[in-house]
Amino acid sequence: MKLFVTGGAGFIGSEFIRQSIAAGDSVVNFDKLTYAGNLDNLVSVADNPRYSLVVGDICKAADVAEAMPEKCDAVVHFAAESHVDRSILSAEEFVLTNVLGTQVMLDVARHRKAGRFLHISTDEVGGDMEEDEWFREESPLEPSSPYAASKTAAEHFVRAAARTFGLETIVTRTSNNYGPFQFPEKLLPLAISNALEDRPIPVYGDGLQIRDWVHVADNCKALRLVLEKGFAGDTYHIGGGDPMTNLEVLHMLLRIVGKPLSLLTTVKDRPGHDRRYAVHFGKITRELGWRPETTFEAGLTQTIEWYQDNAHWVERCKNGDYRSYYETQYSPAGRG
Ligand code: NAD
Ligand code: DAU
């Protein structure tokens, strides 16, 4: 396949690109390289002749159109502002990238006659689930945070492009991904790196919020399957099938790392914090035969080992060195 990927320097997009290059596909990665874009994630494919990088903003239609080849097999749209806490501090970038940027991508994909448009969404668009309630593909969308609201709006534009212009779209909604190369602002990489350095781990509120965790490699296998065999116009949920409270997750993590529970430090809760997500992914299992391969404990153990073995990667995230390529090649000062 010839793929045009947005946001491929991020956590999930880079795993998707590594898998796609290994499978023989060719990939153009269009990425703005925001704080979340990290070219260290793509070192293993950077010199592959089937991989290329274009640094650009999905909100700029002319730049996207120039980068997107005519009639690529699919656009795979990961690019987004992805961190809930940042959206609470300021929602502007979320509206621009997640909503306007998605609409720009849909327009350009249509004009450049892309085969398919795979839109990467999230289980957060469903909002809080009651006890025993499941979030299904046909459930109402009731987002709680500005991030989730922007992802919900984006989904509506995807749906409208399919209905109005006949664009061949597919939407996936995934639960919390975890695994290697995740930026250390999200719960698991933050908790792992703090635990390894004997630093406190912030627990929002009572820590009893429930999340479903899926390994990023399993998620990307599902995305590739949906791309090849999914039905146009459909939505597919993807999850790990192992919902846990944040405290259960953190207790397991500390047990694996061999550090004391006293590292857990209660802090003020996230405003509007969703209590429970419960993504139901029976449809993708039934129709396409996908199910997660990695149990949470095995995946967490492997992820912790990766962070231990890649302390240099974490260090470069924390001290800002991961941005040096961007600074020299693409910042206004560097260009001259
Ligand atoms: P991330 O924050 O790690 O990476 C986002 C990437 O998008 C970065 O490379 C960044 O540089 C790029 N980007 C941001 N704004 C851009 C713009 N205007 N133009 C071009 N590129 C831009 O994100 P992630 O965790 O890999 O998530 C990828 C996608 O999956 C997002 O759409 C997110 O909403 C969705 N998602 C994430 C999770 C999760 O657990 N991480 C779960 C469900 C869905
Ligand atoms: O559910 C899918 C979503 O998962 C994605 O759409 C988002 O892009 C992704 O960021 C993630 O959102 P969450 O808000 O669930 O992830 P986060 O890692 O920020 O938080 C996970 C849970 O842990 C949540 O209940 C808040 C809590 N938390 C988070 C942090 C960063 C803490 O208790 N302490 C923390 O320091």
Side-chain angles (χ1 to χ4, degrees):
M1 287 188 287
K2 290 189 171 62
L3 303 174
F4 187 86
V5 173
T6 70
F11 165 51
I12 306 176
S14 63
E15 169 67 21
F16 181 85
I17 289 178
R18 292 190 299 273
Q19 286 191 16
S20 299
I21 293 295
D25 297 330
S26 56
V27 175
V28 176
N29 175 19
F30 188 89
D31 197 300
K32 188 178 172 183
L33 298 182
T34 67
Y35 81 94
N38 185 343
L39 294 178
D40 289 355
N41 300 359
L42 291 163
V43 167
S44 64
V45 299
D47 294 329
N48 190 300
R50 285 180 284 106
Y51 169 79
S52 61
L53 168 73
V54 178
V55 177
D57 185 341
I58 59 167
C59 296
K60 295 186 177 162
D63 294 353
V64 179
E66 194 184 331
M68 190 187 293
E70 185 95 7
K71 293 187 179 163
C72 62
D73 293 304
V75 171
V76 186
H77 178 38
F78 292 97
E81 287 295 331
S82 70
H83 193 45
V84 173
D85 293 331
R86 286 179 188 260
S87 80
I88 294 168
L89 289 174
S90 169
E92 189 177 338
E93 281 301 319
F94 289 73
V95 177
L96 289 175
T97 287
N98 299 3
V99 188
L100 175 64
T102 297
Q103 177 56 35
V104 167
M105 289 307 304
L106 291 162
D107 283 341
V108 176
R110 177 161 57 92
H111 293 308
R112 302 295 280 162
K113 300 184 174 54
R116 295 202 131 178
F117 190 100
L118 177 57
H119 176 72
I120 311 302
S121 192
T122 165
D123 65 350
E124 299 210 5
V125 298
D128 263 336
M129 294 292 118
E130 299 292 333
E131 213 184 323
D132 296 333
E133 187 188 8
W134 288 94
F135 181 47
R136 295 171 187 271
E137 283 81 356
E138 62 280 11
S139 298
L141 304 188
E142 295 175 332
S144 307
S145 70
Y147 161 72
S150 69
K151 294 295 287 186
T152 305
E155 278 201 32
H156 289 312
F157 281 99
V158 174
R159 190 185 170 88
R163 172 81 186 247
T164 309
F165 301 112
L167 189 68
E168 201 170 297
T169 61
I170 299 183
V171 172
T172 55
R173 298 190 190 123
T174 318
S175 60
N176 286 60
N177 280 230
Y178 71 98
F181 298 107
Q182 188 169 27
F183 194 77
E185 66 180 352
K186 307 274 164 65
L187 177 66
L188 281 185
L190 179 82
I192 293 170
S193 70
N194 282 14
L196 293 175
E197 294 168 14
D198 294 306
R199 282 147 45 108
I201 297 170
V203 178
Y204 295 174
D206 62 10
L208 297 179
Q209 304 83 4
I210 295 175
R211 295 290 183 270
D212 171 282
W213 297 91
V214 62
H215 195 279
V216 66
D218 281 342
N219 176 34
C220 289
K221 285 181 195 164
L223 298 179
R224 291 184 49 77
L225 185 65
V226 164
L227 202 51
E228 286 172 25
K229 301 204 172 132
F231 292 98
D234 266 15
T235 297
Y236 294 92
H237 284 184
I238 301 166
D242 212 359
M244 298 168 80
T245 67
N246 292 339
L247 278 182
E248 285 171 329
V249 166
L250 293 171
H251 284 201
M252 185 187 288
L253 187 156
L254 289 170
R255 176 168 54 73
I256 296 169
V257 186
K259 295 291 168 97
L261 293 178
S262 57
L263 285 181
L264 299 180
T265 308
T266 300
V267 299
K268 199 160 157 269
D269 205 356
R270 173 187 280 174
H273 200 169
D274 280 330
R275 280 307 270 185
R276 175 174 176 264
Y277 294 145
V279 71
H280 187 281
F281 56 91
K283 175 176 170 177
I284 190 173
T285 302
R286 200 172 55 248
E287 293 187 7
L288 305 182
W290 177 88
R291 53 172 53 79
E293 294 167 16
T294 317
T295 62
F296 183 66
E297 182 151 8
L300 181 61
T301 306
Q302 179 227 72
T303 303
I304 290 168
E305 282 165 6
W306 186 89
Y307 278 87
Q308 279 170 323
D309 295 345
N310 291 274
H312 186 58
W313 181 92
V314 178
E315 184 54 31
R316 280 170 58 81
C317 285
K318 289 188 173 170
N319 66 20
D321 279 357
Y322 74 107
R323 297 196 47 85
S324 57
Y325 180 81
Y326 170 81
E327 303 296 349
T328 51
Q329 301 291 316
Y330 295 106
S331 70
R335 264 192 224 124

